[in-house]
Amino acid sequence: MRSANNPTQTQRSMRLVHKERIQNETETMQKSRIIKDKTAEGVMFTLTIISILFVVVMFVGLYLKSAPVLEDKSLWSLISSSEWKPMKGEFGFLPFIAGTLWVTFIAIVLALPVSMFTAIYLTEYARPRVRRFVFPALDILAALPSVVYGIWGTLVIVPLIADKIAPHFVEFSSGYTVLAAGIVLGVMIIPLLVSLFIEVFSMVPQDLREASLALGATRWQTTCKVVLKKTMPGIFASTVLAISRAMGETIAVLMVCGCVMTIPKTPLDSGYPIPALIANNYGEMLSMPLYESALMFAALILFVVVFIFNLLSRIILYRMEKNS
């Protein structure tokens, strides 16, 4: 008589079939996961290539549009000349390059310390109640259209410079200066810088802060010696991003810079940044092909300057991270 503990041939067959079914399902699921992973990898790689191609396509398009003026004038004469007479075919971009550098420099000098100390306060000192109030205010500032900043600059900053600041240094100033443009632009990029700095400071482990405090350091010493030192590459990268953002601002700067085609000698002089040049003269270029090419060359200058600046910053950032 067959023992009850020994499985019958039918039970063994059923177990084998069930085991084979589980193995087949497992293999099918593994193949499906591999296919999904390969598909996701391919899609992300394709999108990455497309993103890179956007930069290349923009550069090629601007260069082709700029080719007529580059064939008519040498590159050095275009960027070193101050003569701007489109009707006579004279296109000197030096005043516009100088105006762009002046406005960007003033904006960064004004915005960087304010943004830095604001971010330090919010991450290291502020109570949660203060953060709940400040963060929405920063979001509102970041969301405001640039034309609102331009109107604010026209109604507040320009009269302030003309009536209160300029009389101490010059006999007369209309207030429409690179200083006004720099102040407006600096206020515009403060929310961006504060958000970037807060994100960078938040990446420092809390254990490092507590270890520094446990050794007897004050909170300010911990901030300077631990937080800022640890996040220096991130601070540098955030500043470069803000500079790139400042160089391309158009409407707000256009409304308060004065739009005078001269090289500014002081912050109280009027200027004419490259973005303002493009925005202010774009409609006139349709009837003059060489004028159109000159404005596209202005856009190409801005593109190349921002690209080179970001490339150099990435190289410096890589060396800083490597040496740290």
Side-chain angles (χ1 to χ4, degrees):
M1 190 172 185
R2 190 181 299 273
S3 175
N5 294 329
N6 296 328
T8 62
Q9 187 68 29
T10 304
Q11 289 175 331
R12 292 176 179 175
S13 300
M14 292 178 62
R15 289 179 180 178
L16 291 173
V17 171
H18 183 66
K19 186 177 181 180
E20 291 178 356
R21 184 188 306 166
I22 293 176
Q23 290 178 348
N24 292 334
E25 290 178 354
T26 303
E27 292 177 356
T28 303
M29 291 177 62
Q30 290 178 347
K31 292 180 179 179
S32 177
R33 286 198 296 266
I34 292 174
I35 292 174
K36 290 179 180 178
D37 289 341
K38 294 292 184 181
T39 303
E41 181 182 357
V43 171
M44 289 186 289
F45 177 76
T46 302
L47 293 177
T48 303
I49 296 299
I50 291 175
S51 300
I52 296 174
L53 287 177
F54 280 149
V55 179
V56 177
V57 169
M58 289 175 63
F59 174 78
V60 172
L62 290 174
Y63 177 78
L64 293 177
K65 286 289 187 179
S66 306
V69 75
L70 289 172
E71 293 174 356
D72 186 70
K73 303 288 184 180
S74 67
L75 177 62
W76 176 250
S77 65
L78 289 172
I79 63 176
S80 63
S81 174
S82 301
E83 293 293 327
W84 183 262
K85 299 177 181 178
M87 302 302 295
K88 297 182 179 180
E90 297 292 335
F91 302 100
F93 288 92
L94 185 58
F96 309 109
I97 296 174
T100 302
L101 296 178
W102 263 105
V103 172
T104 303
F105 175 76
I106 294 173
I108 293 298
V109 168
L110 295 177
L112 187 57
V114 175
S115 304
M116 178 74 71
F117 286 112
T118 301
I120 290 174
Y121 173 74
L122 291 175
T123 55
E124 306 298 325
Y125 294 91
R127 298 178 180 180
R129 181 174 57 187
V130 177
R131 297 175 186 173
R132 287 195 297 268
F133 172 76
V134 174
F135 286 160
L138 291 175
D139 292 338
I140 292 174
L141 286 176
L144 287 177
S146 60
V147 66
V148 175
Y149 285 99
I151 294 174
W152 169 74
T154 303
L155 297 178
V156 177
I157 303 301
V158 170
L160 177 65
I161 293 175
D163 300 333
K164 303 296 182 180
I165 298 177
H168 295 286
F169 303 96
V170 295
E171 294 183 0
F172 171 78
S173 175
S174 64
Y176 292 92
T177 60
V178 291
L179 177 60
I183 293 174
V184 172
L185 191 55
V187 174
M188 288 184 65
I189 64 176
I190 282 177
L192 173 62
L193 274 174
V194 172
S195 300
L196 292 173
F197 288 156
I198 289 176
E199 184 176 353
V200 170
F201 295 156
S202 300
M203 294 175 63
V204 178
Q206 187 64 27
D207 294 342
L208 294 179
R209 295 181 174 89
E210 294 176 355
S212 176
L213 294 173
L215 292 174
T218 63
R219 186 174 296 182
W220 176 247
Q221 289 173 332
T222 300
T223 300
C224 295
K225 302 296 184 179
V226 177
V227 177
L228 293 180
K229 186 175 181 180
K230 186 72 175 178
T231 58
M232 191 56 64
I235 293 173
F236 181 78
S238 301
T239 304
V240 171
L241 181 62
I243 291 174
S244 300
R245 169 72 174 81
M247 282 186 175
E249 181 53 45
T250 304
I251 299 300
V253 174
L254 173 65
M255 296 176 67
V256 298
C257 67
C259 296
V260 178
M261 287 178 284
T262 58
I263 299 177
K265 299 297 189 302
T266 68
L268 296 176
D269 292 335
S270 298
Y272 210 156
I274 291 177
L277 167 69
I278 299 172
N280 216 19
N281 297 275
Y282 191 81
E284 302 177 10
M285 70 182 186
L286 298 178
S287 58
M288 299 178 61
L290 198 60
Y291 196 4
E292 175 186 5
S293 179
L295 292 180
M296 292 302 101
F297 178 71
L300 181 63
I301 292 175
L302 195 61
F303 180 91
V304 171
V305 169
V306 172
F307 179 82
I308 293 177
F309 198 85
N310 279 270
L311 180 62
L312 293 176
S313 68
R314 288 297 170 184
I315 295 174
I316 297 174
L317 182 61
Y318 172 77
R319 292 183 177 179
M320 291 174 62
E321 292 177 344
K322 186 177 180 180
N323 295 330
S324 60

